[in-house]
Amino acid sequence: MTDPLIISAVLAADAQDDLDAKRRRWFPSDRLHVGAHITLFHALPGERLEELQGALATLVERPRPSLHVGEPFKMGRGVGLRLQSSALEGLRGAIARRVADDLTDQDARRWRPHVTIQNKVTPEEARRTLETVRESHTEYDTQVDALALWHYRGGPWEAAGEFRFGS
């Protein structure tokens, strides 16, 4: 059995820089294996690599999706920022239909797009961070530049392809 695959959305550079800075500030450094990201799927079968590469290459033959980076929210032992993008939700739905028989319970659930800026901390620390982020964060609009496919190797992710919109 091959390692599972992750699909994420790649943000426009200014939004990526902003969210990476927030993540570096609040995410426990010993757990910071990847930068800020939008996970569309957490664990697709590695055996479907070539099929998914082809599907993603076709799905990005359109303009870049708009994305709203919204309000912060508490995530149990962390903090995230809510995201809104009907275009990205539609793309995720198209991929989900293609791999429906192979979705894990987590990936089959209703998708709630977000960026995690803190995780695996005490509830008290998460509450303090949420208060700070609520005071300092301004919602904004940006775009998704690409979809990325990754091999999950138990820590850092290994790139398996990046598929840019409109190319």
Side-chain angles (χ1 to χ4, degrees):
M1 183 172 186
T2 60
D3 291 327
L5 298 168
I6 298 167
I7 298 177
S8 68
V10 178
L11 294 163
D14 57 343
Q16 187 67 51
D17 291 346
D18 171 59
L19 297 172
D20 277 342
K22 286 176 169 65
R23 193 167 165 98
R24 281 191 306 273
R25 178 174 178 190
W26 288 299
F27 212 92
S29 60
D30 62 322
R31 296 182 173 273
L32 190 57
H33 299 299
V34 296
H37 57 279
I38 305 168
T39 305
L40 278 69
F41 294 94
H42 296 86
L44 297 175
E47 297 81 15
R48 295 187 79 167
L49 175 64
E50 289 181 16
E51 174 191 354
L52 287 167
Q53 288 171 324
L56 295 178
T58 300
L59 285 170
V60 298
E61 293 174 348
R62 63 187 75 205
R64 298 184 300 165
S66 297
L67 179 83
H68 180 75
V69 179
E71 66 182 359
F73 69 101
K74 190 165 185 292
M75 300 177 52
R77 296 181 55 201
V79 175
L81 296 173
R82 294 187 200 286
L83 305 174
Q84 298 166 328
S85 173
S86 57
L88 195 56
E89 287 185 38
L91 288 168
R92 187 188 183 280
I95 298 166
R97 285 187 294 279
R98 183 178 196 111
V99 295
D101 292 342
D102 288 321
L103 293 177
T104 62
D105 288 343
Q106 182 180 23
D107 285 336
R109 282 187 236 137
R110 181 173 172 253
W111 187 51
R112 290 184 167 80
H114 67 279
V115 170
T116 303
I117 59 172
Q118 183 183 61
N119 202 4
K120 313 281 193 226
V121 299
T122 65
E124 298 78 27
E125 186 175 350
R127 182 187 49 74
R128 286 191 304 271
T129 300
L130 180 60
E131 289 173 9
T132 301
V133 175
R134 279 186 174 150
E135 293 171 4
S136 62
H137 176 70
T138 302
E139 296 184 21
Y140 60 91
D141 293 321
T142 187
Q143 292 181 311
V144 175
D145 280 352
L147 297 177
L149 187 60
W150 306 90
H151 296 282
Y152 179 68
R153 307 280 196 219
W157 301 355
E158 180 183 312
E162 182 171 285
F163 307 85
R164 302 195 69 75
F165 284 96
S167 54

